[in-house]
PDB file of all heavy atoms in Angstrom:
ATOM      1  N   MET A 754     115.438 116.949 132.638  1.00 41.00           N
ATOM      2  CA  MET A 754     115.246 118.392 132.784  1.00 41.00           C
ATOM      3  C   MET A 754     113.794 118.696 133.120  1.00 41.00           C
ATOM      4  O   MET A 754     112.884 118.175 132.510  1.00 41.00           O
ATOM      5  CB  MET A 754     115.650 119.099 131.476  1.00 41.00           C
ATOM      6  CG  MET A 754     115.493 120.616 131.544  1.00 41.00           C
ATOM      7  SD  MET A 754     115.954 121.395 129.976  1.00 41.00           S
ATOM      8  CE  MET A 754     117.694 121.024 129.962  1.00 41.00           C
ATOM      9  N   THR A 763     108.779 130.819 122.000  1.00 73.00           N
ATOM     10  CA  THR A 763     107.844 131.434 121.047  1.00 73.00           C
ATOM     11  C   THR A 763     108.501 131.716 119.704  1.00 73.00           C
ATOM     12  O   THR A 763     107.819 131.977 118.721  1.00 73.00           O
ATOM     13  CB  THR A 763     107.282 132.751 121.603  1.00 73.00           C
ATOM     14  OG1 THR A 763     108.373 133.642 121.880  1.00 73.00           O
ATOM     15  CG2 THR A 763     106.490 132.491 122.876  1.00 73.00           C
ATOM     16  N   ILE A 796     108.360 128.116  86.034  1.00 93.00           N
ATOM     17  CA  ILE A 796     107.096 128.553  85.438  1.00 93.00           C
ATOM     18  C   ILE A 796     107.163 128.450  83.918  1.00 93.00           C
ATOM     19  O   ILE A 796     106.191 128.042  83.267  1.00 93.00           O
ATOM     20  CB  ILE A 796     106.764 129.997  85.869  1.00 93.00           C
ATOM     21  CG1 ILE A 796     106.346 130.025  87.331  1.00 93.00           C
ATOM     22  CG2 ILE A 796     105.650 130.584  84.998  1.00 93.00           C
ATOM     23  CD1 ILE A 796     106.042 131.414  87.863  1.00 93.00           C
ATOM     24  N   CYS A 942     113.087 119.673 125.377  1.00 86.00           N
ATOM     25  CA  CYS A 942     113.491 119.538 126.786  1.00 86.00           C
ATOM     26  C   CYS A 942     113.369 118.105 127.303  1.00 86.00           C
ATOM     27  O   CYS A 942     113.534 117.871 128.498  1.00 86.00           O
ATOM     28  CB  CYS A 942     112.628 120.448 127.653  1.00 86.00           C
ATOM     29  SG  CYS A 942     112.716 122.182 127.185  1.00 86.00           S
ATOM     30  N   ILE A 953     115.427 109.274 111.232  1.00 83.00           N
ATOM     31  CA  ILE A 953     116.431 108.589 110.416  1.00 83.00           C
ATOM     32  C   ILE A 953     115.756 107.569 109.508  1.00 83.00           C
ATOM     33  O   ILE A 953     116.069 107.456 108.314  1.00 83.00           O
ATOM     34  CB  ILE A 953     117.481 107.900 111.312  1.00 83.00           C
ATOM     35  CG1 ILE A 953     118.319 108.946 112.045  1.00 83.00           C
ATOM     36  CG2 ILE A 953     118.385 106.989 110.491  1.00 83.00           C
ATOM     37  CD1 ILE A 953     119.286 108.363 113.054  1.00 83.00           C
ATOM     38  N   ASP A 955     112.453 107.456 108.646  1.00 85.00           N
ATOM     39  CA  ASP A 955     111.439 108.044 107.770  1.00 85.00           C
ATOM     40  C   ASP A 955     112.050 108.879 106.657  1.00 85.00           C
ATOM     41  O   ASP A 955     111.638 108.795 105.501  1.00 85.00           O
ATOM     42  CB  ASP A 955     110.484 108.913 108.601  1.00 85.00           C
ATOM     43  CG  ASP A 955     109.206 109.236 107.845  1.00 85.00           C
ATOM     44  OD1 ASP A 955     109.133 108.957 106.646  1.00 85.00           O
ATOM     45  OD2 ASP A 955     108.272 109.758 108.457  1.00 85.00           O
ATOM     46  N   VAL A 978     118.784  97.730  77.270  1.00 82.00           N
ATOM     47  CA  VAL A 978     118.976  98.369  75.965  1.00 82.00           C
ATOM     48  C   VAL A 978     120.230  97.833  75.285  1.00 82.00           C
ATOM     49  O   VAL A 978     120.225  97.560  74.076  1.00 82.00           O
ATOM     50  CB  VAL A 978     119.071  99.907  76.135  1.00 82.00           C
ATOM     51  CG1 VAL A 978     119.476 100.566  74.822  1.00 82.00           C
ATOM     52  CG2 VAL A 978     117.749 100.468  76.609  1.00 82.00           C
ATOM     53  N   SER A 985     121.356 101.577  70.204  1.00 70.00           N
ATOM     54  CA  SER A 985     120.513 102.579  70.870  1.00 70.00           C
ATOM     55  C   SER A 985     121.020 102.956  72.259  1.00 70.00           C
ATOM     56  O   SER A 985     120.404 103.769  72.945  1.00 70.00           O
ATOM     57  CB  SER A 985     119.074 102.056  70.993  1.00 70.00           C
ATOM     58  OG  SER A 985     118.545 101.717  69.732  1.00 70.00           O
ATOM     59  N   SER A 987     123.667 104.677  73.272  1.00 75.00           N
ATOM     60  CA  SER A 987     124.081 106.070  73.445  1.00 75.00           C
ATOM     61  C   SER A 987     122.875 106.993  73.580  1.00 75.00           C
ATOM     62  O   SER A 987     122.884 107.940  74.378  1.00 75.00           O
ATOM     63  CB  SER A 987     124.957 106.513  72.265  1.00 75.00           C
ATOM     64  OG  SER A 987     124.249 106.394  71.048  1.00 75.00           O
ATOM     65  N   VAL A1026     121.690 125.000 101.805  1.00 82.00           N
ATOM     66  CA  VAL A1026     121.521 125.939 100.692  1.00 82.00           C
ATOM     67  C   VAL A1026     121.431 125.195  99.373  1.00 82.00           C
ATOM     68  O   VAL A1026     120.589 125.515  98.513  1.00 82.00           O
ATOM     69  CB  VAL A1026     122.685 126.961 100.662  1.00 82.00           C
ATOM     70  CG1 VAL A1026     122.675 127.753  99.357  1.00 82.00           C
ATOM     71  CG2 VAL A1026     122.600 127.902 101.846  1.00 82.00           C
ATOM     72  N   ILE A1031     119.794 125.785  95.374  1.00 87.00           N
ATOM     73  CA  ILE A1031     120.498 125.483  94.123  1.00 87.00           C
ATOM     74  C   ILE A1031     119.788 124.415  93.305  1.00 87.00           C
ATOM     75  O   ILE A1031     119.569 124.588  92.099  1.00 87.00           O
ATOM     76  CB  ILE A1031     121.947 125.053  94.412  1.00 87.00           C
ATOM     77  CG1 ILE A1031     122.649 126.094  95.278  1.00 87.00           C
ATOM     78  CG2 ILE A1031     122.691 124.832  93.091  1.00 87.00           C
ATOM     79  CD1 ILE A1031     122.757 127.456  94.654  1.00 87.00           C
ATOM     80  N   GLN A1045     116.442 118.974  73.273  1.00 76.00           N
ATOM     81  CA  GLN A1045     116.244 119.763  72.068  1.00 76.00           C
ATOM     82  C   GLN A1045     114.769 120.069  71.840  1.00 76.00           C
ATOM     83  O   GLN A1045     114.417 121.163  71.385  1.00 76.00           O
ATOM     84  CB  GLN A1045     116.823 119.016  70.851  1.00 76.00           C
ATOM     85  CG  GLN A1045     118.328 118.843  70.875  1.00 76.00           C
ATOM     86  CD  GLN A1045     119.060 120.176  70.853  1.00 76.00           C
ATOM     87  OE1 GLN A1045     118.602 121.140  70.230  1.00 76.00           O
ATOM     88  NE2 GLN A1045     120.189 120.245  71.532  1.00 76.00           N
ATOM     89  N   LYS A1048     113.754 122.949  74.143  1.00 77.00           N
ATOM     90  CA  LYS A1048     114.312 124.219  73.678  1.00 77.00           C
ATOM     91  C   LYS A1048     113.572 124.720  72.443  1.00 77.00           C
ATOM     92  O   LYS A1048     113.308 125.924  72.308  1.00 77.00           O
ATOM     93  CB  LYS A1048     115.810 124.058  73.389  1.00 77.00           C
ATOM     94  CG  LYS A1048     116.669 123.927  74.627  1.00 77.00           C
ATOM     95  CD  LYS A1048     118.141 124.071  74.339  1.00 77.00           C
ATOM     96  CE  LYS A1048     118.697 122.892  73.577  1.00 77.00           C
ATOM     97  NZ  LYS A1048     120.154 122.995  73.413  1.00 77.00           N
ATOM     98  N   LEU A1054     107.340 129.287  71.597  1.00 74.00           N
ATOM     99  CA  LEU A1054     106.490 130.065  72.494  1.00 74.00           C
ATOM    100  C   LEU A1054     106.944 131.520  72.539  1.00 74.00           C
ATOM    101  O   LEU A1054     106.123 132.446  72.533  1.00 74.00           O
ATOM    102  CB  LEU A1054     106.517 129.453  73.897  1.00 74.00           C
ATOM    103  CG  LEU A1054     105.638 130.113  74.966  1.00 74.00           C
ATOM    104  CD1 LEU A1054     104.160 129.992  74.583  1.00 74.00           C
ATOM    105  CD2 LEU A1054     105.884 129.466  76.336  1.00 74.00           C
TER     106      LEU A1054
END
Side-chain angles (χ1 to χ4, degrees):
M754 181 181 294
T763 58
I796 288 178
C942 302
I953 292 174
D955 196 350
V978 172
S985 303
S987 60
V1026 168
I1031 307 299
Q1045 294 298 326
K1048 288 192 290 185
L1054 182 64

